[in-house]
Amino acid sequence: AQKITQTQPGMFVQEKEAVTLDCTYDTSDPSYGLFWYKQPSSGEMIFLIYQGSYDQQNATEGRYSLNFQKARKSANLVISASQLGDSAMYFCAMRRIQGAQKLVFGQGTRLTINP
Amino acid sequence: GAVVSQHPSRVICKSGTSVKIECRSLDFQATTMFWYRQFPKQSLMLMATSNEGSKATYEQGVEKDKFLINHASLTLSTLTVTSAHPEDSSFYICSARGPGRLVSGANVLTFGAGSRLTVL
């Protein structure tokens, strides 16, 4: 079974600062993918970044980067130069590469950017 | 590209009635669609996986007869909440996977905007 754990229910950060959102996972699958999604108050799920378990380099997408530490089973999201529009719920998720490819989500972290 | 439309965005119904929620992939063929349920301030819980032309696969604990899922075409899946009760009030969100949207070789799910169901 796959499990995602996000231990930070809420985070408060000053605008323009960097923020790290924690995510740890547990799986027995040899190959898997890790995702981060943003959910603003409107409810839509916005894909941010993806990391494959066999990827040698940490993924980056603009201001988003994923600090992937496979041995520790962690996949933290780093947002650089935070903006007011970054305030939202953030979900870490994972799925198998082979077989059933359903996404399993963590509990989420509510990020609030203060001006 | 890779847009998923979900309708209605909000619905209020009386207890005992049935409600249908549609999920459409607008610019790609969705071979698989997933239906999630989200309670306030909680995570997304997968309800079922539907593949075009076949029966949906439900997660443990999800009532098949309560939540009817149909995936009749490559661009449309529907979730029908039958004989809805107040405890069915929730945010329902669909996601679709098709062959087109790849990021670093991985097929990324595209989500609809969600449907907020309130049962009175």
Side-chain angles (χ1 to χ4, degrees):
Chain A
Q2 300 172 315
K3 186 178 181 181
I4 292 281
T5 303
Q6 294 178 254
T7 58
Q8 305 156 311
M11 289 280 287
F12 295 85
V13 174
Q14 287 297 120
E15 191 180 6
K16 299 182 183 178
E17 289 184 352
V19 58
T20 298
L21 304 182
D22 295 341
C23 172
T24 58
Y25 61 91
D26 191 22
T27 181
S28 57
D29 295 305
S31 59
Y32 49 89
L34 295 156
F35 300 77
W36 277 91
Y37 281 85
K38 172 184 178 181
Q39 186 181 39
S41 57
S42 56
E44 64 198 287
M45 296 291 284
I46 302 169
F47 166 74
L48 297 178
I49 196 166
Y50 166 81
Q51 178 84 42
S53 60
Y54 286 110
D55 291 343
Q56 296 296 316
Q57 292 186 326
N58 286 346
T60 60
E61 287 287 346
R63 293 188 298 114
Y64 305 109
S65 60
L66 202 151
N67 184 1
F68 180 47
Q69 299 189 43
K70 193 171 182 178
R72 295 186 177 183
K73 293 189 175 180
S74 73
N76 298 339
L77 175 70
V78 180
I79 305 175
S80 63
S82 58
Q83 303 171 355
L84 295 178
D86 293 334
S87 294
M89 281 291 289
Y90 287 80
F91 291 97
C92 180
M94 75 179 298
R95 70 153 195 250
R96 294 181 178 136
I97 299 298
Q98 301 296 332
Q101 295 191 8
K102 58 187 180 183
L103 269 179
V104 176
F105 286 88
Q107 307 94 312
T109 295
R110 179 167 295 282
L111 175 64
T112 302
I113 308 298
N114 296 315
Chain B
V3 177
V4 173
S5 172
Q6 192 171 338
H7 178 81
S9 58
R10 292 179 181 272
V11 56
I12 300 173
C13 70
K14 292 182 178 180
S15 186
T17 61
S18 294
V19 174
K20 180 183 285 187
I21 300 170
E22 293 187 348
C23 181
R24 293 181 184 272
S25 56
L26 298 185
D27 51 1
F28 67 101
Q29 292 184 327
T31 52
T32 305
M33 288 189 174
F34 303 87
W35 287 94
Y36 288 86
R37 181 174 183 176
Q38 186 179 29
F39 290 105
K41 299 184 180 180
Q42 293 190 24
S43 187
L44 282 74
M45 301 301 296
L46 181 65
M47 299 174 66
T49 302
S50 72
N51 293 297
E52 185 266 337
S54 61
K55 289 184 178 180
T57 302
Y58 289 80
E59 294 299 301
Q60 191 172 9
V62 178
E63 299 177 58
K64 300 178 182 180
D65 296 331
K66 161 67 80 174
F67 301 102
L68 300 179
I69 291 172
N70 183 281
H71 193 162
S73 76
L74 283 171
T75 59
L76 174 65
S77 176
T78 60
L79 166 67
T80 301
V81 183
T82 62
S83 186
H85 288 91
E87 58 266 29
D88 299 324
S89 298
S90 191
F91 189 66
Y92 294 89
I93 190 166
C94 70
S95 64
R97 177 165 62 90
R101 192 176 182 202
L102 298 177
V103 174
S104 299
N107 206 305
V108 177
L109 294 184
T110 301
F111 283 80
S115 300
R116 188 164 302 283
L117 171 63
T118 303
V119 184
L120 302 177

